[in-house]
Amino acid sequence: MEIGQSDVFASVATGIGTFQGFLIAINLLFLRKGSKKANLFLFALLLAQSLIIFQNFIVFSGLYYQFAHITLLFFSFNGLIGPLFFFYTLFLISPDRGLKWYDFIHLSFFFYLLFFTGNWDYINLPAYQKIEAIPYIYSQENYILSFTILISVLLKKSITLAYVLIAFRLINTKIKTLKNNLSDTNINYLRRFKLITYIFGLCIITHMSLFIIDYNYHIKIYKLEIYIHILNSLFLIVIAIITIQQPERLLFVLQKNKVTKLKFSKKQVHLDELLDLMLNQKPYLNPELKLHDLASLMNAPSHTLSDQINKELGLNFYDFINQYRVNEFKKRVVLPEYKNLTLIAIAHDVGFNSKTSFNRIFKKHTSITPSEFLTQKQVSTSEIGSKLN
C-alpha cells in the first residue's frame, strides 16, 4: 500500500496517540496517590485503547510489512473498553469498596470478550497473506463490510455502551448522595467527569453509526473510525493526567466519610431552630461543612435533618447551604470593608472553594453573574446618591 498524504497525517495522529497513551499508562501503574484499584483499571483501560490505536499506527505508517502479525491483533480489545471503564468508575466513586462475588461475573464476561471475540480467521493467516489483505481492508473503495463483522463490531460496541450507561448512572447516584450530605462546592469536578462519560458514550454511538453506514452504503469511513478511537483516548488521557497530577480534584469529594456514631437526645428537627442556628452561628462559612456536622450542631440524626430540609424547604443539603453562601456574599460584596477584596476572595470567605463552582451556583440562585450583581448594586447606589444631592 502506497502511503499518501492522508496516510501520513493518519500515521502521525495514531503515533502520537499511541505514544501518549503508553507513557501515561506507565505513570499510572506506579502511581501511589488516589485509589489504587481505580488507578489499576484506568491503567488497563488506557493500555487497551492505546493498543487499538497502535495496531492502526502500524498500518498507516507502512510498518505492517515488517510487523504484519500486529495488524488487527488487538481487535477484540474493543469489547474490553466498557467493562474496564465501568470498574474504573465504580472504584473511583467508592475507593474503599472491595471486590464482591458478583464482580467476577463481569470479569468472566471480560475474559470472554478478550479471547472469544477476536478476528481469529485473520489472526491465523500467514504474514504474506495479511500484507496482501491490509490494502484491501483499509483503503480500497470496493471493500465491502461483511454482515458477520458488522454484527461482531455492533455487539462489542453495544456492550461497551451498556457499561458506560451504567457508569453514568453510578456517577449520577453519587452526585445526588453527595448533595444530600456535603456542601463542598468542588463536587463540580465530579460533574466534569460525568460530562466526559457522556461524550464518551456519544463517541461510541457515533462509532456504531459509522459501521452501519459502511455496511449499508459501502462508504469507506475507516480512517474516521480511527480518529474516534483517538478522541476516546484523548478523554482517557485527560482523566489520567488529572489522576496523576491532582488526584484530589477527583477523589477528595469521594472519600468515605468517617462519621462517629453519636447518641442524640432529639428525634425531631424544628425548622425555626435550624434557621436560627444558620443565622447566628453561620456554619456555612466552613467550605467543608457536611450534613453530619450540621446535625451534630442541632443534636439530631443526620437522616432526620436531611428529611426535614427536603420536605420543609424542598432543597437538598448542598443547595440549602449554598443558598446561604450566596446571600452572605451579596451582603458582604457591597460593604465598604470588603471593597479592596476581589469577588473570588469574598467568595472564599463565605465558603466557596473554587471560582467555577461559585460562578455557577451564584447564577443558579440569582439568574445573574456576580459581576452583574455588583454592577447593579453600584448603579443603584449612585442613583440614590444623586437623589440625595
Side-chain angles (χ1 to χ4, degrees), residues 143-158:
Y143 171 71
I144 298 177
L145 183 69
S146 72
F147 181 74
T148 302
I149 293 178
L150 175 68
I151 294 301
S152 176
V153 170
L154 292 182
L155 175 62
K156 292 184 181 71
K157 293 300 175 184
S158 297

Side-chain angles (χ1 to χ4, degrees), residues 30-298:
F30 297 99
L31 188 64
R32 293 292 177 263
K33 299 181 289 186
S35 169
K36 292 182 179 180
K37 290 188 286 288
N39 290 345
L40 182 61
F41 278 104
L42 183 56
F43 159 76
L45 179 59
L46 196 53
L47 181 63
Q49 186 69 64
S50 299
L51 287 171
I52 293 170
I53 298 173
F54 175 65
Q55 67 182 4
N56 292 294
F57 166 72
I58 292 296
V59 172
F60 289 124
S61 64
L63 292 174
Y64 68 93
Y65 286 104
Q66 291 79 26
F67 304 99
H69 290 299
I70 294 179
T71 57
L72 300 185
L73 178 63
F74 306 111
F75 178 76
S76 62
F77 280 27
N78 282 284
L80 306 184
I81 302 300
L84 288 172
F85 188 80
F86 162 74
F87 276 110
Y88 166 65
T89 304
L90 181 64
F91 288 113
L92 175 69
I93 65 177
S94 303
D96 296 317
R97 182 188 186 276
L99 281 171
K100 311 292 185 182
W101 67 266
Y102 47 81
D103 290 336
F104 291 96
I105 298 175
H106 294 283
L107 292 175
S108 61
F109 190 51
F110 176 96
F111 285 111
Y112 168 77
L113 289 170
L114 180 61
F115 294 109
F116 295 98
T117 62
N119 191 8
W120 295 110
D121 290 340
Y122 177 86
I123 291 173
N124 291 327
L125 289 175
Y128 77 91
Q129 289 187 359
K130 290 181 179 178
I131 293 172
E132 292 174 355
I134 285 301
Y136 177 71
I137 295 174
Y138 275 76
S139 66
Q140 284 190 5
E141 296 296 331
N142 62 348
Y143 171 71
I144 298 177
L145 183 69
S146 72
F147 181 74
T148 302
I149 293 178
L150 175 68
I151 294 301
S152 176
V153 170
L154 292 182
L155 175 62
K156 292 184 181 71
K157 293 300 175 184
S158 297
I159 292 169
T160 301
L161 183 61
Y163 274 108
V164 171
L165 290 175
I166 295 171
F168 191 82
R169 184 177 178 182
L170 286 175
I171 297 167
N172 261 338
T173 302
K174 189 67 177 182
I175 290 174
K176 290 179 181 178
T177 301
L178 291 175
K179 278 191 170 186
N180 283 323
N181 291 276
L182 297 178
S183 68
D184 195 331
T185 55
N186 276 308
I187 194 175
N188 191 46
Y189 292 121
L190 193 56
R191 287 197 182 92
R192 291 178 183 176
F193 182 60
K194 175 182 171 181
L195 176 62
I196 290 174
T197 305
Y198 179 77
I199 297 174
F200 196 36
L202 287 180
C203 286
I204 295 168
I205 294 173
T206 303
H207 205 168
M208 295 170 69
S209 301
L210 291 176
F211 271 94
I212 294 173
I213 292 171
D214 192 351
Y215 177 76
N216 287 314
Y217 301 102
H218 310 307
I219 299 173
K220 201 63 191 171
I221 49 167
Y222 200 92
K223 287 177 185 174
L224 183 57
E225 180 226 343
I226 300 306
Y227 298 145
I228 291 176
H229 275 305
I230 295 173
L231 184 61
N232 287 346
S233 180
L234 179 62
F235 289 130
L236 297 178
I237 287 172
V238 169
I239 296 173
I241 289 174
I242 293 174
T243 303
I244 293 169
Q245 293 183 345
Q246 294 178 296
E248 67 279 359
R249 293 180 69 179
L250 281 177
L251 295 172
F252 69 100
V253 295
L254 309 177
Q255 299 298 331
K256 185 177 179 181
N257 297 322
K258 296 180 179 180
V259 181
T260 305
K261 293 185 177 180
L262 302 173
K263 293 183 179 180
F264 297 105
S265 59
K266 289 185 178 181
K267 295 291 185 180
Q268 184 67 31
V269 175
H270 296 287
L271 186 60
D272 55 348
E273 293 181 15
L274 172 62
L275 299 181
D276 184 65
L277 181 141
M278 297 296 291
L279 179 64
N280 295 311
Q281 297 190 33
K282 299 185 177 182
Y284 53 84
L285 297 179
N286 175 10
E288 297 181 357
L289 180 69
K290 298 178 177 62
L291 177 64
H292 75 271
D293 297 328
L294 187 58
S296 297
L297 293 174
M298 292 292 296

Side-chain angles (χ1 to χ4, degrees), residues 310-322:
N310 291 336
K311 291 176 182 177
E312 296 289 337
L313 301 175
L315 299 170
N316 56 47
F317 178 72
Y318 180 81
D319 289 332
F320 172 67
I321 296 300
N322 285 320

